[in-house]
């Protein structure tokens, strides 16, 4: 979804999908077994690149409509490979394709949630980000169209009843106007895990809080690459210091296995600010983790490396 005309600071995420594909060039089925996960998702799933959605760079309202139309069309098609444990959670009791969307700026989640709501009803969101993205507006509400931004889309989704009130942020460290902004954030439906919670309480705590919050509800995973520290992932529009490392983040993701994941995205990759493709390589690696999340039923157990040679492992 090469869309970036609702950004507040540095644009360029329209080139994110191409950059993430570039970052994935060393990934393939034959070398797809991940020793951390104990699985090769490409042997369990039929993964298909659906290409880029044609989006207007001139009219944001039109582009949002184009995203909703494309996403609704894709999730209405028959599945390629069944991982049917969540099929009963769709309103029509049919298993629908799971899409991993490559952004694009974060605004794309608003029309995605509209599409998912038609199939699953209200969705819980696990939102990895340095920013809360639940602002009522970014400019004082200058116009109705100016409320459509990559920092306000969750409020728009909330106003349309697309989300359940059991969503959660992880990795937050943005500055805000004041602590009162948290009242509105909670009204939109979010609990907040600050980036510092990882240092104070550890990865297991982060995992437990997320799992407890979303429970068994249909859950959408939205991942802003600025969750990762800008030292590792500089290629993004609104970087914030003191983020999580890619290793810490991937460990947290492994703990989220077995939730009723109905879709995921990785957004805000802006390659013009990247160095040596580090951001897009991390982003492509996270997409691999999202695929593994769709395959496994429960989190892989932490094991000493010398015991890692499981039945699926070829060393
Ligand atoms: Mn962000």
């Amino acid at each position: 979804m090469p869309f970036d005309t609702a950004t507040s600071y540095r644009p360029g995420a329209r080139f994110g999908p191409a950059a993430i594909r570039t970052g994935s060039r060393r990934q393939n089925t034959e070398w797809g077994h991940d020793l951390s996960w104990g699985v090769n998702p490409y042997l369990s799933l039929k993964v298909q690149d659906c290409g880029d959605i044609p989006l207007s760079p001139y009219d944001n309202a039109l582009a949002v409509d184009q995203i909703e139309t494309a996403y609704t069309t894709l999730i209405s098609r028959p599945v390629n490979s069944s991982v049917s444990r969540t099929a009963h959670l769709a309103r029509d009791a049919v298993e629908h394709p799971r899409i991993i969307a490559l952004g694009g700026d974060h605004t794309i989640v608003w029309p995605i949630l509209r599409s998912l709501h038609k199939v699953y009803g209200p969705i819980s969101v696990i939102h990895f980000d340095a920013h809360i993205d639940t602002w009522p507006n970014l400019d004082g509400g200058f116009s109705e169209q100016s409320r459509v931004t990559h920092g306000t889309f969750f409020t728009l989704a909330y106003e349309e009843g697309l989300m359940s009130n059991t969503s959660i942020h992880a990795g937050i460290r943005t500055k805000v106007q004041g602590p009162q902004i948290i009242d509105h954030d909670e009204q939109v439906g979010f609990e907040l895990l600050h980036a510092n919670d990882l240092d104070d309480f550890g990865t297991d705590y982060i995992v437990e809080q997320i799992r407890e919050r979303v429970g068994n509800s249909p859950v959408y995973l939205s991942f802003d690459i600025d969750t990762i520290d800008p030292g590792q992932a500089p290629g993004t529009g609104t970087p914030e210091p003191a983020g999580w490392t890619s290793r810490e983040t991937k460990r947290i993701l492994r703990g989220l296995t077995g939730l009723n994941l109905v879709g995921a995205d990785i957004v805000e990759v802006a390659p013009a600010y990247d160095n040596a493709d580090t951001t897009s390589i991390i982003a492509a690696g996270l997409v691999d983790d999202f695929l593994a999340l769709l395959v496994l039923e429960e989190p892989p157990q932490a094991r000493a490396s010398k015991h890692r040679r499981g039945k699926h492992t070829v060393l």
Side-chain angles (χ1 to χ4, degrees):
M1 301 195 174
F3 171 83
D4 68 2
T5 44
T7 51
S8 54
Y9 189 45
R10 306 191 300 189
R14 74 179 66 183
F15 302 111
I20 296 168
R21 289 188 181 97
T22 299
S24 75
R25 282 181 297 187
R26 288 180 63 243
Q27 296 172 206
N28 60 59
T29 302
E30 288 178 19
W31 295 71
H33 184 92
D34 189 317
L35 292 170
S36 303
W37 284 95
V39 71
N40 179 347
Y42 298 95
L43 296 179
S44 304
L45 301 170
K46 185 172 178 186
V47 183
Q48 184 163 338
D49 186 339
C50 298
D52 287 2
I53 308 302
L55 299 173
S56 172
Y58 309 115
D59 183 333
N60 285 351
L62 173 60
V64 164
D65 188 55
Q66 288 170 315
I67 292 169
E68 182 184 348
T69 300
Y71 205 95
T72 301
T73 302
L74 290 169
I75 60 171
S76 301
R77 290 181 177 166
V79 294
N80 270 331
S81 45
S82 180
V83 279
S84 63
R85 63 182 180 274
T86 66
H88 65 284
L89 290 171
R91 285 173 160 174
D92 56 7
V94 171
E95 186 178 5
H96 291 262
R98 257 60 86 82
I99 297 176
I100 297 172
L102 311 179
D105 80 46
H106 222 145
T107 314
I108 68 169
V109 172
W110 180 33
I112 287 174
L113 288 174
R114 281 178 169 174
S115 295
L116 290 171
H117 183 269
K118 294 175 205 169
V119 172
Y120 299 100
I123 307 284
S124 299
V125 179
I126 302 172
H127 174 224
F128 285 84
D129 204 317
H131 313 91
I132 55 177
D133 294 357
T134 56
W135 280 277
N137 56 69
L138 295 180
D139 66 354
F142 187 75
S143 71
E144 192 175 338
Q145 185 60 49
S146 77
R147 294 190 68 220
V148 180
T149 78
H150 73 156
T152 54
F153 62 93
F154 277 135
T155 294
L156 303 176
Y158 156 72
E159 289 174 355
E160 293 182 3
L162 306 179
M163 299 166 60
S164 76
N165 60 358
T166 57
S167 295
I168 187 163
H169 306 295
I172 302 297
R173 57 196 187 277
T174 184
K175 292 173 182 171
V176 299
Q177 300 95 317
Q180 73 281 1
I181 202 73
I182 300 304
D183 293 337
H184 182 264
D185 190 61
E186 289 177 351
Q187 189 184 335
V188 172
F190 281 95
E191 185 181 314
L192 190 155
L193 297 173
H194 195 276
N196 292 346
D197 288 342
L198 180 66
D199 305 299
D200 295 335
F201 306 110
T203 49
D204 288 351
Y205 171 83
I206 303 290
V207 167
E208 283 165 17
Q209 294 300 305
I210 293 173
R211 295 191 74 99
E212 195 175 302
R213 179 71 171 172
V214 302
N216 197 40
S217 60
V219 63
Y220 183 76
L221 174 62
S222 186
F223 196 104
D224 188 323
I225 194 65
D226 68 28
T227 306
I228 310 291
D229 188 82
Q232 290 193 357
T236 192
T238 48
E240 303 284 354
W244 292 345
T245 67
S246 57
R247 189 187 72 256
E248 291 162 341
T249 304
K250 288 164 83 71
R251 178 168 173 167
I252 291 167
L253 288 173
R254 289 197 295 276
L256 303 182
T257 310
L259 300 176
N260 284 305
L261 195 63
V262 298
D265 66 60
I266 185 146
V267 295
E268 301 284 354
V269 172
Y273 316 106
D274 203 3
N275 288 316
D277 295 342
T278 54
T279 308
S280 53
I281 288 169
I282 289 172
L286 292 170
V287 172
D288 258 15
D289 292 330
F290 299 165
L291 293 172
L293 279 173
L294 293 175
V295 174
L296 293 181
E297 297 285 339
E298 53 189 50
Q301 287 186 325
R303 289 176 296 174
S305 294
K306 64 180 180 179
H307 299 311
R308 242 177 235 294
R309 192 200 293 262
K311 61 181 177 179
H312 303 295
T313 308
V314 178
L315 291 174

